[in-house]
Amino acid sequence: MIEATQTLDAILRNSRRKRKKTPLKAYYCDVNGKITYLLYKAKDDTYYSTIRDPQGRLHKQERVPLEGNPIPTAQWREGHTYIQFPRPKEYTLGGIGAPLDRISVKQLTLEFSKNRRTPPAAPKAWDNKMASINQPPPNWEIVADRYATRFLTPKDSATHFKHITHRAIFTRNRKSNLNRKARLCRLCHKSLEDSTHMGQCRVIQSLFSRINRLNATPTRICSPLRRGGAQDVAAVEILFLAPREDIPLAIGSLLTILWKYTLISWYQVDIDHKLFVKDTVWGQAIRRFAELCLVQLAKYRYASARASARGTHEPTAKYNNEMQPLAFIKSDGTLQFSPEFTKELKEANGLSFIQQPPGTTNRHDFIQWVKPTPDKTSAQK
């Protein structure tokens, strides 16, 4: 008799629950030098012939009489073999630390090449360049974390990774056949255009200092100090995506996106003879960040639907950690942008980009808008 406290949903869920099957034990027999793999069913005391696929998995066939002395196989993940040494769960390779049957090709490659690997030249070269302009070296672990986020796609981070971190940017100073005037910065026209100047150019600094409008950092970043006091670290913060532990992941992602559109427009100045418009570059970065927030929301909704079907709950924390404080997913599954980000998105014509007018069939009703608040970030003087 079913208890009254049980809900209909629980009854249906329990009725669909399948009973776990007892796995069959794998053996091999060596009969006149021929290896035969068998599966043994203890309940019936029966052996079955098998077919062994290229991955070593055994597939049960028909019942057969036992010939020879059965010996337990050595299991490598889902595959079976008669080779008894080394046992995969008892040994590992070098300093990998994982069992033999759990070692990946990537781990093998790193282990075999570790004696021939050399550290990349870019960090050391940049440390020397930063010292030449009285800037501290960046925290390279935080810089690496900027690329490892799941929020960005390779198309968003590869531009900065290649052109800035690995110094592939082709500045005018590399053209030795040009005179000094022709090698001046294409944006500010004040200093020689080289990789270090990209963090000191007043045009780029004024563009990247717009990040402070979002009120998302404890202090102003990417903005040079007006007068004495603390060390001016604007160049390091601009070039290496504000490599500080107190800077949220979302700000690092937005700076990475901003570098992408900055470099695209920067190259177009010489190649296509187009003007560098800061409002255009900033608007492209803001709209792209909003688009990636919608991608995060879609991922959450898909994962939440699967979790609900399994009777579990999908937390929003792992999605919000990469968007806050600029945006976050609420418990009801709606996406909300911060007031400051909403204001910037509106000025960048981003509202029409991600939300259709009311009354349309495809309106994004899962976005909530709030009124902006006054700027609370004060400049350091």
Side-chain angles (χ1 to χ4, degrees):
M1 182 177 180
I2 301 174
E3 296 182 5
T5 55
Q6 283 186 296
T7 63
L8 178 60
D9 183 63
I11 296 171
L12 294 176
R13 188 164 57 248
N14 292 332
S15 65
R16 292 193 297 265
R17 190 174 296 168
K18 294 182 179 180
R19 191 176 296 175
K20 292 184 178 180
K21 295 183 179 180
T22 303
L24 301 180
K25 295 183 180 180
Y27 293 88
Y28 75 93
C29 295
D30 187 352
V31 180
N32 298 327
K34 182 180 179 181
I35 302 297
T36 304
Y37 291 95
L38 303 171
L39 288 175
Y40 175 69
K41 189 174 182 179
K43 182 179 179 180
D44 302 333
D45 191 21
T46 308
Y47 288 90
Y48 295 88
S49 62
T50 62
I51 294 179
R52 187 167 176 264
D53 63 19
Q55 285 75 35
R57 293 187 293 260
L58 301 179
H59 302 275
K60 186 176 72 171
Q61 299 296 307
E62 58 185 7
R63 183 182 304 180
V64 294
L66 177 63
E67 295 183 7
N69 183 28
I71 303 173
T73 61
Q75 186 171 359
W76 292 68
R77 289 200 177 186
E78 298 178 359
H80 296 266
T81 180
Y82 66 91
I83 300 175
Q84 299 295 312
F85 182 84
R87 287 276 179 173
K89 299 185 184 304
E90 299 175 3
Y91 294 88
T92 185
L93 180 65
I96 295 178
L100 287 177
D101 61 341
R102 297 293 172 180
I103 296 177
S104 64
V105 175
K106 180 179 180 180
Q107 290 174 316
L108 286 175
T109 303
L110 292 175
E111 181 66 21
F112 293 153
S113 62
K114 68 179 183 180
N115 294 330
R116 300 193 301 270
R117 285 201 309 270
T118 57
K124 185 176 181 180
W126 269 119
D127 291 346
N128 295 334
K129 285 178 176 290
M130 291 294 100
S132 66
I133 59 174
N134 298 320
Q135 292 277 315
N139 187 329
W140 289 106
E141 291 185 3
I142 298 180
V143 176
D145 290 340
R146 297 286 190 252
Y147 304 129
T149 173
R150 295 174 299 178
F151 183 77
L152 299 175
T153 67
K155 291 184 178 180
D156 298 308
S157 59
T159 305
H160 180 271
F161 179 77
K162 295 178 181 178
H163 292 259
I164 301 298
T165 301
H166 286 279
R167 301 176 297 130
I169 186 170
F170 192 79
T171 58
R172 288 180 174 181
N173 197 40
R174 290 190 174 188
K175 301 178 182 179
S176 57
N177 59 328
L178 300 179
N179 56 37
R180 179 179 176 81
K181 185 177 180 180
R183 286 185 287 158
L184 294 178
C185 175
R186 69 193 71 185
L187 300 183
C188 68
H189 308 290
K190 298 293 183 181
S191 304
L192 288 178
E193 187 182 85
D194 58 10
S195 55
T196 57
H197 176 71
M198 297 296 292
Q200 296 177 308
C201 175
R202 60 179 180 84
V203 178
I204 293 181
Q205 284 186 347
S206 64
L207 170 61
F208 276 73
S209 63
R210 295 188 181 193
I211 203 78
N212 297 295
R213 298 179 184 176
L214 302 174
N215 289 348
T217 56
T219 58
R220 289 182 64 87
I221 60 173
C222 303
S223 180
L225 299 177
R226 300 295 181 184
R227 55 189 183 188
Q231 185 181 9
D232 182 7
V233 294
V236 167
E237 292 177 342
I238 292 174
L239 285 170
F240 302 107
L241 314 173
R244 288 165 37 187
E245 294 182 354
D246 59 341
I247 301 300
L249 292 175
I251 296 299
S253 298
L254 182 55
L255 289 173
T256 307
I257 298 171
L258 184 56
W259 261 118
K260 170 187 176 179
Y261 293 106
T262 298
L263 288 173
I264 292 174
S265 185
W266 182 83
Y267 277 116
Q268 288 177 338
V269 172
D270 275 4
I271 297 175
D272 299 330
H273 306 289
K274 292 184 177 181
L275 293 177
F276 185 90
V277 183
K278 291 183 290 185
D279 291 339
T280 302
V281 176
W282 176 251
Q284 289 173 329
I286 288 293
R287 292 194 297 270
R288 176 58 178 166
F289 186 90
E291 182 183 4
L292 292 176
C293 289
L294 295 180
V295 174
Q296 287 289 95
L297 178 61
K299 291 180 180 178
Y300 166 74
R301 288 197 158 191
Y302 177 74
S304 180
R306 294 191 63 182
S308 178
R310 297 170 179 172
T312 59
H313 174 69
E314 178 70 13
T316 60
K318 68 178 181 180
Y319 303 94
N320 288 335
N321 287 342
E322 298 178 342
M323 297 189 295
Q324 288 178 330
L326 303 182
F328 65 95
I329 301 173
K330 300 175 67 175
S331 58
D332 59 355
T334 58
L335 177 67
Q336 179 171 317
F337 292 105
S338 69
E340 295 80 9
F341 188 84
T342 302
K343 180 181 178 181
E344 295 297 324
L345 192 61
K346 182 177 180 180
E347 295 178 355
N349 296 324
L351 297 185
S352 59
F353 171 71
I354 64 172
Q355 185 182 41
Q356 298 182 12
T360 58
T361 55
N362 295 327
R363 182 189 175 196
H364 297 305
D365 56 353
F366 47 78
I367 303 176
Q368 295 186 354
W369 309 105
V370 292
K371 294 182 179 180
T373 56
D375 189 356
K376 299 179 181 178
T377 305
S378 58
Q380 293 183 357
K381 297 185 178 180

